[in-house]
Amino acid sequence: MVPLEAVVSAAAYMVLALFTGALATAGFVLPAGENPLRRALLASAQLLLLTFLLVAVFWLIVQGAKLQGGTFPSLDIISRYLLRTQSGKVWLLRELYGVFLLVVLLQFRNVAEIRRACLWAFFFALPLVAGRSLMSHAAAVKENTLLAVSADAVHLLVTALWAGGLAVLLWALWRGTKRLNLSLAWAAQTVARFSRLALFSVPVLILTGLYQSWVHVQSWNALVDSPYGRVLVLKVFLVLSMITLGAINFLSTRPRLFDATGDDPALRKKALRRIGAESLLGFLVLSVTGFLTVLPPAAHSRHQTGAHPATSLQPADGAELKILSPKEGEIFSGDQVPISFKLVRGKRAHHAHAYVDGELMGMFESQQGTLTGIPPGRHTLELRAVAEDHQTELDASDKVDFVVK
């Protein structure tokens, strides 16, 4: 299910980035007086928002299928996910807000001040993009959670503005110069206005990206040895490539457009080709960003492939752990298994990792919780005490067997 979930997540973020880029281009980037282009972008934004809402529904079905053991989810599973999990509640709120926003955009279709309408629509769109952070890895960070979620939200927003805006800029330049016969001077002004947006976005993107990497990776070994770390390296490479192309466009393409006299088809074609290459990299960045959202953070991913052998456990240093429920051999109906345990922290224990049949299924700071998505059959639950770095597992654990019907 992970590959499918990653594809759907990447598609949702890509569509939302294009939606944000369309509104930002219509509101901030296009020079004054281009009502035909602005109205076309507003209509595109409406279609993109509708597409996002449909993709989000498919994403919900994928989440339900994970809980259902890989089969099409029942309404009971979907309702429990929406009403009992944080990510489900956030999904529901975003979907409702998206419907509200679509209604607002439809009301803007025939207004006279189309630029002002696009500006309002852009600011209305920001919570929809930023809301993704409430169901991201950042929301699971236990220390400085508000800072982590805020940094993730800002990172998503500026990525959408830059990468999503680039693709929309390419379309606007092509449509304006080839279909509407606008001058290269107009194209130069449009590129210059986008450059100011990019110059703001890139430093913020780098700063928030560095902070997120520090939170979710924590070590060079995790960066190299985990799937999350390797995909993150790929994203960094793509972003650096975008910055390089962006610098070329800023230092070469933009000045040449300003210096052009009259129509110059060769220069126009070269400018579109360069911006197109940067836009392609932007699409790849958006796709990789979507994949990162479904991979376990590098700080935790080494646990995902199965429980470590006892030889890798560190000394307990006074830590003790005892499973209180489920009891040995206890039988459950449904895919949810409540657990409780007693953890004596000793010198280093901070929380517990919960393994079901060797696969990490949860991390618990409070000494109770619920495991979800447990398929029918006999299973082994193992809880292990873990240090605050989320990586060091201590020689303090307990096991029980239980049955799900």
Side-chain angles (χ1 to χ4, degrees):
M1 294 297 292
V2 173
L4 178 60
E5 183 183 9
V7 170
V8 176
S9 180
Y13 187 52
M14 191 176 298
V15 172
L16 202 55
L18 290 173
F19 166 71
T20 308
L23 294 176
T25 301
F28 297 102
V29 176
L30 292 182
E34 302 309 323
N35 282 354
L37 280 178
R38 282 199 173 90
R39 291 195 183 277
L41 286 173
L42 183 59
S44 298
Q46 295 165 1
L47 181 60
L48 287 165
L49 180 55
L50 179 61
T51 303
F52 167 76
L53 295 174
L54 295 175
V55 173
V57 170
F58 190 68
W59 183 89
L60 176 64
I61 293 173
V62 172
Q63 300 306 306
K66 288 171 57 180
L67 298 175
Q68 193 81 29
T71 61
F72 194 84
S74 65
L75 290 178
D76 179 61
I77 288 291
I78 293 294
S79 63
R80 281 194 285 171
Y81 174 76
L82 291 176
L83 300 177
R84 298 186 185 182
T85 68
Q86 176 175 322
S87 59
K89 294 174 183 177
V90 172
W91 181 94
L92 186 57
L93 288 173
R94 291 181 80 214
E95 195 79 350
L96 292 173
Y97 186 79
V99 172
F100 160 77
L101 185 56
L102 182 58
V103 173
V104 171
L105 292 182
L106 291 173
Q107 299 301 313
F108 286 162
R109 285 182 301 177
N110 299 316
V111 298
E113 293 289 337
I114 188 65
R115 180 175 179 272
R116 181 177 297 178
C118 291
L119 286 172
W120 277 109
F122 169 77
F123 288 113
F124 275 127
L126 296 182
L128 186 64
V129 182
R132 178 65 178 82
S133 297
L134 296 175
M135 50 198 300
S136 69
H137 299 315
V141 174
K142 299 303 181 183
E143 296 184 356
N144 300 316
T145 306
L146 180 60
L147 178 60
V149 171
S150 300
D152 186 76
V154 172
H155 189 80
L156 290 177
L157 286 170
V158 295
T159 303
L161 276 175
W162 183 31
L166 261 173
V168 178
L169 173 68
L170 178 64
W171 176 86
L173 291 175
W174 175 83
R175 179 76 178 261
T177 57
K178 297 197 69 173
R179 293 295 181 88
L180 302 178
N181 296 318
L182 297 173
S183 66
L184 290 183
W186 170 87
Q189 188 178 358
T190 303
V191 171
R193 291 166 71 93
F194 181 82
S195 296
R196 288 195 288 270
L197 183 66
L199 287 174
F200 160 78
S201 298
V202 172
V204 177
L205 179 72
I206 293 174
L207 289 175
T208 54
L210 287 174
Y211 174 74
Q212 287 180 290
S213 299
W214 175 71
V215 170
H216 299 307
V217 178
Q218 298 185 0
S219 71
W220 287 107
N221 288 337
L223 183 67
V224 175
D225 295 337
S226 68
Y228 183 96
R230 289 191 288 269
V231 173
L232 180 60
V233 169
L234 174 61
K235 179 181 177 180
V236 170
F237 171 77
L238 292 172
V239 169
L240 291 177
S241 300
M242 279 188 71
I243 292 174
T244 302
L245 273 178
I248 293 173
N249 285 328
F250 182 77
L251 298 174
S252 175
T253 305
R254 183 181 61 91
R256 292 186 64 183
L257 287 173
F258 271 113
D259 293 339
T261 56
D263 189 27
D264 187 340
L267 176 58
R268 180 180 61 197
K269 184 177 180 180
K270 186 173 185 177
L272 291 174
R273 187 168 59 246
R274 283 182 172 180
I275 296 173
E278 192 178 354
S279 300
L280 177 60
L281 288 173
F283 272 112
L284 294 175
V285 169
L286 293 172
S287 299
V288 171
T289 301
F291 272 74
L292 281 175
T293 62
V294 303
L295 292 173
H300 307 306
S301 60
R302 70 189 187 95
H303 301 296
Q304 293 286 340
T305 56
H308 295 295
T311 54
S312 69
L313 300 180
Q314 300 299 307
D317 286 338
E320 297 180 7
L321 191 149
K322 174 66 177 177
I323 296 175
L324 303 179
S325 67
K327 303 294 185 182
E328 182 67 32
E330 189 172 352
I331 299 174
F332 297 90
S333 297
D335 66 337
Q336 295 190 335
V337 177
I339 67 170
S340 64
F341 59 94
K342 180 179 179 181
L343 175 63
V344 178
R345 299 182 183 274
K347 294 182 178 180
R348 291 198 293 169
H350 180 261
H351 61 284
H353 282 171
Y355 293 94
V356 176
D357 302 328
E359 180 181 359
L360 182 65
M361 296 294 289
M363 305 173 199
F364 298 93
E365 283 195 18
S366 62
Q367 298 185 26
Q368 60 183 357
T370 302
L371 298 172
T372 61
I374 308 300
R378 189 173 186 87
H379 304 281
T380 299
L381 168 66
E382 179 180 8
L383 294 185
R384 288 188 175 180
V386 188
E388 191 171 2
D389 62 3
H390 293 273
Q391 300 185 56
T392 305
E393 292 187 331
L394 308 177
D395 190 13
S397 63
D398 196 13
K399 287 185 180 182
V400 296
D401 292 333
F402 65 92
V403 177
V404 172
K405 286 188 174 181

